[in-house]
Amino acid sequence: MKDVYVSGFTDRVSPEAPVPIVRVAKTEYKAGGAANVAVNIATLGLPVTLLSIVGNDDSASEIQQLLSCHKVDCFFIKSPNFETIQKHRIISQHQQILRLDYESHDPKLNFQPEDYSKLLENFEKLILSKTFSAVIFSDYKKGVLECCNSLIMNAKKHNIPVFVDPKGDEFDIYQGANFLKPNIKEFENIVGVSTNKKEFNSKANRLKKSLKIKNLLITKGSCGMTLFHEEEMPVDIPAENSREVFDVTGAGDTVLATVVAAYVSKFSILDSVKIANSSAGIVVGKFGTANVGLSELKTVFKNSQKILSIRQKPDEPKESI
């Protein structure tokens, strides 16, 4: 997706309607959606390849240019019937007052069978042509991951760990993934609301078992995160509240990207989640679609030198899709 931020100042109300007038000072373009996950990983120093379906339009070209600035390799399948999704945010005095979404009511209706065939074909080619340490599926329920089951099976066939950020009311398509990261609303949408901690843990374990997921991370905003990993007892990780929450846009993307970056850098899943939790505490203190750099993590983990090993040598393999 293309994220557009139109920022300015408001000091009067329109005489035409009871709405504020924004005097535009600047317009910024950022790579959003799954592209934001890729940028987050690249910012942490790992080589990353992004595969997706986009429209055959200027927005797709602009996203690719933004990604190239972050040294993200792009493999875009351009569908002639699909319009690349845009989200325009109108900002006044650092507050979002309006968001304009440019997309059809059900974007997946614009995809053709050949789009999915090309997606599967290119995924297989990438897997065979390079050595990947992880695969990420960032699902925004826009239709691209309708064939998610096939993609996961393909990755697992090559023994590549699969990390998923899910969405929607159908989690069966993520079956067999190594790591699933729903937020609390997405989790409750699948299993229902829990009245106590025991019920919450029970529902999480049942979901984890039914989907054959090795690790389930449920993010809960200001209430932190809970990790259900392997056969261990669940671990509650409190939110990092040392920073003021300024904007939660893309925080989930940062969490997933940091978990993967730490994991492929040889941290355990638990330690990777703890690092990601700190990253989330940093990114919510920023405005808009943002990311966390190594220098910021270095400040948080002053006593840890291992976090600095995330940056890979140029001749080392690509890390994630």
Side-chain angles (χ1 to χ4, degrees):
M1 305 177 198
K2 184 175 78 171
D3 285 347
V4 181
Y5 291 85
V6 180
S7 303
F9 303 91
T10 299
D11 54 15
R12 63 194 181 102
V13 175
S14 171
E16 303 166 354
V19 295
I21 294 175
V22 178
R23 290 186 289 110
V24 177
K26 65 177 179 178
T27 301
E28 295 179 283
Y29 302 92
K30 297 185 178 182
N36 185 43
V37 179
V39 169
N40 270 272
I41 294 173
T43 303
L44 288 170
L46 277 76
V48 56
T49 299
L50 177 65
L51 171 65
S52 190
I53 305 174
V54 296
N56 188 14
D57 50 34
D58 290 341
S59 291
S61 299
E62 290 167 2
I63 293 171
Q64 190 159 357
Q65 186 174 2
L66 288 167
L67 289 169
S68 67
C69 293
H70 292 278
K71 298 181 180 179
V72 174
D73 290 335
C74 293
F75 286 82
F76 282 170
I77 298 160
K78 296 189 175 182
S79 175
N81 299 312
F82 178 71
E83 182 179 345
T84 302
I85 295 170
Q86 301 181 55
K87 293 184 178 181
H88 291 217
R89 295 171 175 88
I90 312 302
I91 313 298
S92 176
Q93 278 90 1
H94 300 290
Q95 294 292 324
Q96 184 178 155
I97 62 174
L98 182 67
R99 195 180 88 180
L100 307 173
D101 287 7
Y102 292 81
E103 64 175 310
S104 61
H105 177 68
D106 192 352
K108 68 181 180 182
L109 296 178
N110 296 312
F111 291 130
Q112 303 298 313
E114 54 265 31
D115 294 328
Y116 295 116
S117 297
K118 290 178 182 177
L119 184 71
L120 289 167
E121 180 184 344
N122 279 275
F123 185 81
E124 176 70 18
K125 285 181 179 178
L126 283 168
I127 291 296
L128 292 174
S129 66
K130 302 175 184 179
T131 303
F132 291 94
S133 299
V135 173
I136 300 171
F137 296 105
S138 181
D139 198 350
Y140 277 80
K141 274 294 173 286
K142 304 301 183 183
V144 176
L145 289 177
E146 288 296 296
C147 54
C148 193
N149 264 144
S150 298
L151 293 166
I152 289 176
M153 287 190 293
N154 198 318
K156 291 179 71 67
K157 181 175 68 177
H158 294 280
N159 297 314
I160 304 174
V162 173
F163 294 76
V164 178
D165 194 347
K167 194 173 288 294
D169 54 9
E170 180 55 71
F171 275 19
D172 287 346
I173 63 172
Y174 312 122
Q175 185 168 322
N178 298 77
F179 188 97
L180 189 71
K181 187 205 72 64
N183 61 37
I184 185 64
K185 289 183 179 179
E186 291 162 345
F187 173 72
E188 291 177 344
N189 187 44
I190 298 297
V191 304
V193 178
S194 302
T195 57
N196 54 59
K197 180 65 175 174
K198 183 178 180 180
E199 183 183 5
F200 175 82
N201 289 349
S202 177
K203 287 180 176 179
N205 280 315
R206 284 202 302 270
L207 179 65
K208 180 170 168 283
K209 185 177 181 180
S210 67
L211 296 179
K212 300 178 182 178
I213 300 290
K214 287 186 178 181
N215 304 281
L216 174 65
L217 176 66
I218 302 169
T219 58
K220 301 178 290 185
S222 61
C223 295
M225 310 174 180
T226 301
L227 174 65
F228 297 82
H229 64 306
E230 302 291 344
E231 301 302 323
E232 303 292 329
M233 294 293 290
V235 178
D236 291 318
I237 303 167
E240 301 259 340
N241 292 321
S242 59
R243 291 171 175 263
E244 179 185 0
V245 176
F246 192 70
D247 192 344
V248 297
T249 303
D253 295 339
T254 298
V255 169
L256 184 63
T258 309
V259 167
V260 177
Y263 179 77
V264 301
S265 299
K266 309 306 180 184
F267 284 88
S268 69
I269 282 292
L270 179 56
D271 285 341
S272 297
V273 169
K274 289 179 178 178
I275 294 169
N277 185 53
S278 296
S279 288
I282 296 171
V283 81
V284 296
K286 301 181 179 183
F287 187 81
T289 305
N291 45 68
V292 177
L294 282 172
S295 60
E296 293 170 293
L297 282 177
K298 180 181 177 182
T299 301
V300 173
F301 296 95
K302 291 180 180 178
N303 299 320
S304 174
Q305 295 300 313
K306 193 172 183 182
I307 189 65
L308 300 181
S309 69
I310 287 178
R311 188 173 298 280
Q312 305 294 313
K313 296 178 181 178
D315 58 346
E316 291 192 355
K318 299 287 184 181
E319 296 298 340
S320 53
I321 294 180

